[in-house]
Amino acid sequence: MIVLGIETSCDETAAALVTHDKRILANIVSSQDIEHKPFGGVVPEIAARAHLAHIEGILQKALIEANVSLDQIDGIAAAGGPGLIGGVIVGVMIAKGLAMAKNLPFIPVNHLEGHALTARLTNDVPFPYLLLLVSGGHCQFLIVEDVGVYTYLGGTIDDAIGECLDKTARLLGYAYPGGPRIERLARDGDPQAFLLPKPLKGKEGCAFSFSGLKTAARKVILDRKDSSRSFQADFCASLQKTIGDILEDRCENALQMALKKAPAIRSLVVAGGVAANLYFRERLENSVRARGIDLVTPPINLCTDNGAMIAWAGVEYLRLHLVGSLDFAPQPRWPLEELRMERTQ
């Protein structure tokens, strides 16, 4: 079985071909960093236009690299949301058109589920498992019970980690995306140099809040007016340590909650763009090891948005004979926990 996956939910135009036996035949990603760099973040209209301009070439490149024709494909999956609606529409309409032309199953994939199931592609993680989804727009804990079956435990009540990192990097004078820049600067800094707030640390539950930390970071940067590399390194190291402390605390609570609901859980999967941060990976691995829980993180190139995760989710659904309708409407908002109802209808 070969599934074509298309991802256009934010600022990467991507296409991939993945097999049922977990071979990634091609995984092509075109970043829009240059288009959005002058604005310090993703501009939805620019993103949609870029997807429209690049999607055909990306699809052709993926098919050539995989040495596969459309006649050899068993299904076409596309990120149907959540995301920037203009971009989502581009990917969904292309996928629908190809599915109709070739009389193939169309599988609309929840973008977040693509991240959630990547660990089953790369590490063969069995159900159930605890998922920490961390990116520029999302920060939440869920129990992954099965394909399309999720239990929400808690998430951010305001900003996500990725947004906090990107906005802080911009205050330091760095272009979008800022998270990788902060990680690099932090390697040379003193994590004890600045005392920053840790919202909700020590509180019950596993909710997150990063707006206060983002505000505190802004105040320090504007008050100091110091552009030296030593200041930036120390501040980034302190910010990263603060977020690591919050993640460890929230993760401990989430594991307690998850194991009560699903005692068979043996893995914590960390997915999404922020999962590429090696410091956060190390902090969480040390935290969960004492509980006998394995930390699973996809390869860095599969943490950020990509077509392989969408194609693999398509494989998971197709082998369960769960396919979508050409009447599917792109979803700007699409919580994972709502998939359970759709699956059982």
Side-chain angles (χ1 to χ4, degrees):
M1 180 193 301
I2 302 174
V3 172
L4 168 65
I6 298 172
E7 163 60 47
T8 57
S9 64
C10 191
D11 61 332
E12 278 92 15
T13 309
L17 291 116
V18 175
T19 68
H20 67 283
D21 56 353
K22 305 184 179 183
R23 288 180 295 128
I24 301 176
L25 304 180
N27 187 30
I28 309 300
V29 180
S30 175
S31 172
Q32 299 176 7
D33 287 354
I34 293 176
E35 286 94 335
H36 301 290
K37 184 176 180 179
F39 306 98
V42 179
V43 181
E45 177 65 20
I46 292 174
R49 290 178 180 274
H51 288 310
L52 196 58
H54 299 308
I55 186 63
E56 183 179 354
I58 294 297
L59 284 169
Q60 290 177 345
K61 190 173 182 180
L63 291 166
I64 291 170
E65 182 171 306
N67 194 25
V68 167
S69 73
L70 288 173
D71 293 328
Q72 296 172 280
I73 292 171
D74 298 284
I76 300 177
L84 302 177
I85 193 62
V88 174
I89 289 173
V90 171
V92 167
M93 297 309 294
I94 289 287
K96 284 183 178 182
L98 291 173
M100 184 179 295
K102 293 295 181 178
N103 194 28
L104 291 170
F106 164 66
I107 307 110
V109 171
N110 183 299
H111 168 82
L112 303 180
E113 186 165 32
H115 284 300
L117 296 177
T118 298
R120 288 175 51 77
L121 167 64
T122 59
N123 298 78
D124 200 27
V125 178
F127 298 119
Y129 53 90
L130 177 62
L131 169 70
L132 170 57
L133 185 59
V134 277
S135 66
H138 300 276
C139 188
Q140 55 188 293
F141 284 107
L142 304 107
I143 300 173
V144 184
E145 301 176 44
D146 202 341
V147 177
V149 184
Y150 297 83
T151 299
Y152 178 85
L153 298 179
T156 182
I157 60 176
D158 41 56
D159 298 331
I161 294 176
E163 180 182 352
C164 179
L165 294 171
D166 286 339
K167 293 294 175 60
T168 301
R170 187 178 182 187
L171 287 168
L172 291 171
Y174 297 104
Y176 172 87
R181 171 67 71 171
I182 285 181
E183 183 180 7
R184 289 194 294 271
L185 285 166
R187 293 171 190 156
D188 300 321
D190 176 7
Q192 307 293 341
F194 294 91
L195 182 64
L196 297 167
K198 301 170 185 175
L200 298 183
K201 184 177 182 295
K203 303 293 185 181
E204 293 184 359
C206 57
F208 292 96
S209 172
F210 290 100
S211 64
L213 176 58
K214 189 172 70 173
T215 300
R218 182 178 188 276
K219 187 175 188 306
V220 171
I221 293 169
L222 295 182
D223 286 351
R224 288 291 293 264
K225 298 179 181 177
D226 187 346
S227 60
S228 69
R229 185 173 179 84
S230 61
F231 162 73
Q232 292 188 349
D234 286 347
F235 184 76
C236 290
S238 299
L239 176 67
Q240 200 168 241
K241 179 185 181 302
T242 299
I243 295 174
D245 291 345
I246 295 169
L247 283 173
E248 281 191 353
D249 176 78
R250 303 287 83 191
C251 186
E252 175 63 25
N253 287 3
L255 276 171
Q256 292 180 19
M257 296 167 65
L259 289 169
K260 286 180 181 179
K261 294 177 178 292
I265 286 175
R266 291 295 176 267
S267 299
L268 167 65
V269 171
V270 185
V274 178
N277 184 296
L278 298 180
Y279 174 82
F280 295 149
R281 289 189 184 205
E282 183 177 354
R283 289 289 302 268
L284 288 172
E285 185 170 18
N286 293 336
S287 177
V288 302
R289 187 184 297 130
R291 279 186 164 272
I293 300 294
D294 294 325
L295 181 76
V296 179
T297 52
I300 289 176
N301 69 311
L302 295 182
C303 287
T304 52
D305 294 351
N306 63 88
M309 70 181 192
I310 303 301
W312 174 251
V315 169
E316 295 261 36
Y317 273 96
L318 193 55
R319 62 187 178 188
L320 292 173
H321 307 290
L322 296 169
V323 299
S325 165
L326 293 178
D327 293 332
F328 172 82
Q331 306 290 313
R333 294 189 68 259
W334 196 6
L336 276 176
E337 58 272 23
E338 291 183 4
L339 292 178
R340 181 192 298 267
M341 294 183 293
E342 295 172 12
R343 177 191 172 102
T344 56
Q345 284 178 347

